Amino acid sequence: MDKQIIDDCQRHVALARSMDILAYIYKTQDQYDDMRRVAEAIIAIYQQLIDRGEEGLEWELAKKYSVLGMCQMHLAQTKGSLASTTSAISRFRRLIEQDTSISSPALGALEPALAANLARASSLHDTLGQHAAALQAVTEAIDLYSRLARQEPADFSAPLAECLRALPRLRQAATGRDDSMADTLDAVELCRTLADAYPEQFLPDLACFLVRLCTCQWQGGVPAWADALESAQEAAAIYARLYASDPDRHRAGYADSLYKTFLCHNGLEQLDQARVALKEALSLYRILVTDHPQEFRPQLAQCLLDLTQYLITYKDYDTALHTVHEATSLLTDLAQKDRATFQPVLKKARAMHGLIVRKRSR
């Protein structure tokens, strides 16, 4: 490489940019080790120029450290990726603090780059068991993405939601406290505010976090069924509108929100309303299983068992027998692949089958 680099700064930069094209080609082919080597060579070029006093290249060097960190992460080089990502973060911070035209682009490009690297650093810290650092990084990423999402919602809604989903688990790992309720409430309120201004981008996130809030509310020490039901019903109402416009994209979320609605009605002993919500969820899970059998058969089997219990309660034993047969068939297949998870549920289904047979014979 030293023989290829000549003293003229413009040619140095031209060489680095031509190598950028090569790196992009490697990325399109998922050749991350080759891409890593190119990124390291580009970093060496820019670092040599900066050491010689050339100005205006810190932005390019910071970006290349970010690219290197991404490559190393794909290659499972966790410590190396964290070192490169940390270097990128420190350089992006310095450029934001300087904010001079000679050393950095517009702030609109720097802050997204910093946020993305903070999110990656959080994941890497978490992998290495550095929980406090992971929490600190994701918290700062959320602050940045929250502000950026108000400016460019189409670009930043997804990474913001990903960081918000990770926050409760990272906080618990770092502090030993389960603040899932508070974190999820904050996420709901943030998404609600953003959805008022940008419904297309943030209504799906609002619905998703309402379902999570519902789960937090009914899984507490004393289940707050009424509050959980309110959250589930709001989520289901949002998903119903989203499902009407894009069924394939929102079917799973809609089914989950309806199932949570069923659980809450059931917890409040509102059996008729619970049964209606359960049947609606069941119909959606049947469609999902047709398209994604491995992913959704467990949910379908559980819905069938829940419906069987209701049919027994309503003394509709013939339909209950047919329903539990279907559940047992699904669970038998699932238990062959994951005995530890599904054998206990299969045992429950067989016990329900025996109960129904005895009740029918009376």
Side-chain angles (χ1 to χ4, degrees):
M1 180 58 65
D2 289 342
K3 293 180 179 179
Q4 296 175 7
I5 297 177
I6 59 177
D7 291 335
D8 178 54
C9 175
Q10 291 183 344
R11 290 195 176 183
H12 279 76
V13 173
L15 175 60
R17 288 177 178 169
S18 68
M19 294 174 72
D20 251 341
I21 299 172
L22 180 59
Y24 175 77
I25 294 171
Y26 283 140
K27 183 179 180 181
T28 62
Q29 297 174 353
D30 293 334
Q31 295 177 231
Y32 289 105
D33 198 37
D34 291 325
M35 187 181 179
R36 174 190 59 79
R37 285 193 288 268
V38 173
E40 288 173 342
I42 297 174
I43 286 171
I45 292 173
Y46 283 129
Q47 189 62 65
Q48 182 176 340
L49 291 170
I50 290 170
D51 291 344
R52 287 168 43 187
E54 300 292 347
E55 297 179 321
L57 298 175
E58 278 288 345
W59 165 243
E60 296 297 333
L61 183 59
K63 286 194 296 181
K64 291 304 163 290
Y65 272 110
S66 177
V67 169
L68 178 58
M70 179 271 294
C71 293
Q72 292 167 318
M73 191 173 187
H74 277 283
L75 294 167
Q77 298 171 356
T78 306
K79 291 183 179 180
S81 179
L82 180 58
S84 300
T85 302
T86 301
S87 180
I89 288 170
S90 64
R91 293 172 188 280
F92 286 133
R93 287 193 200 280
R94 188 159 58 247
L95 288 166
I96 290 171
E97 291 168 0
Q98 293 172 352
D99 194 25
T100 57
S101 59
I102 195 170
S103 62
S104 71
L107 195 64
L110 280 167
E111 288 193 329
L114 176 58
N117 279 271
L118 284 165
R120 186 197 303 143
S122 176
S123 176
L124 293 164
H125 281 303
D126 184 42
T127 300
L128 293 169
Q130 301 166 357
H131 302 304
L135 175 60
Q136 182 178 348
V138 80
T139 301
E140 188 176 354
I142 288 170
D143 289 342
L144 280 168
Y145 278 135
S146 298
R147 184 168 68 253
L148 292 166
R150 289 178 168 85
Q151 303 164 8
E152 298 290 341
D155 292 335
F156 300 112
S157 60
L160 172 60
E162 184 176 352
C163 289
L164 289 170
R165 284 193 291 270
L167 179 61
R169 179 183 59 79
L170 294 176
R171 190 186 302 281
Q172 185 170 10
T175 66
R177 302 191 312 271
D178 185 358
D179 292 331
S180 299
M181 177 77 80
D183 287 333
T184 307
L185 277 168
D186 289 344
V188 166
E189 291 312 308
L190 175 59
C191 290
R192 196 187 301 282
T193 300
L194 292 168
D196 286 341
Y198 310 104
E200 183 178 351
Q201 284 79 23
F202 289 101
L203 273 177
D205 293 328
L206 174 58
C208 174
F209 282 108
L210 282 165
V211 169
R212 285 174 167 250
L213 178 59
C214 167
T215 302
C216 291
Q217 289 164 327
W218 66 259
Q219 282 185 340
V222 179
W225 288 116
D227 292 339
L229 177 60
E230 184 178 341
S231 299
Q233 287 178 322
E234 184 180 357
I238 294 170
Y239 273 126
R241 298 200 303 273
L242 295 170
Y243 182 71
S245 61
D246 193 346
D248 290 340
R249 181 182 175 190
H250 299 293
R251 186 175 288 113
Y254 190 22
D256 190 28
S257 67
L258 287 168
Y259 187 72
K260 294 297 193 300
T261 302
F262 150 71
L263 290 174
C264 294
H265 278 306
N266 188 63
L268 291 166
E269 298 183 356
Q270 299 169 350
L271 301 188
D272 290 340
Q273 298 98 314
R275 188 181 182 188
V276 170
L278 177 60
K279 285 188 171 182
E280 290 177 350
L282 180 61
S283 67
L284 293 174
Y285 279 126
R286 288 194 187 281
I287 300 172
L288 287 164
V289 165
T290 300
D291 296 332
H292 310 281
Q294 298 304 315
E295 185 175 356
F296 291 104
R297 282 189 303 170
Q299 292 93 321
L300 176 59
Q302 185 59 57
C303 281
L304 289 166
L305 288 181
D306 291 329
L307 180 58
T308 299
Q309 188 61 61
Y310 270 77
L311 293 167
I312 293 171
T313 301
Y314 285 90
K315 299 182 179 180
D316 185 354
Y317 300 128
D318 290 340
T319 309
L321 187 62
H322 174 78
T323 305
V324 80
H325 269 308
E326 185 180 357
T328 301
S329 177
L330 281 168
L331 289 165
T332 299
D333 186 51
L334 289 167
Q336 290 176 352
K337 299 178 175 63
D338 186 351
R339 184 177 180 83
T341 300
F342 295 106
Q343 188 63 31
V345 189
L346 177 58
K347 184 178 179 180
K348 177 183 176 182
R350 287 170 174 164
M352 293 176 74
H353 179 274
L355 175 64
I356 295 165
V357 169
R358 290 193 298 273
K359 285 183 176 291
R360 285 180 79 219
S361 63
R362 291 177 183 173

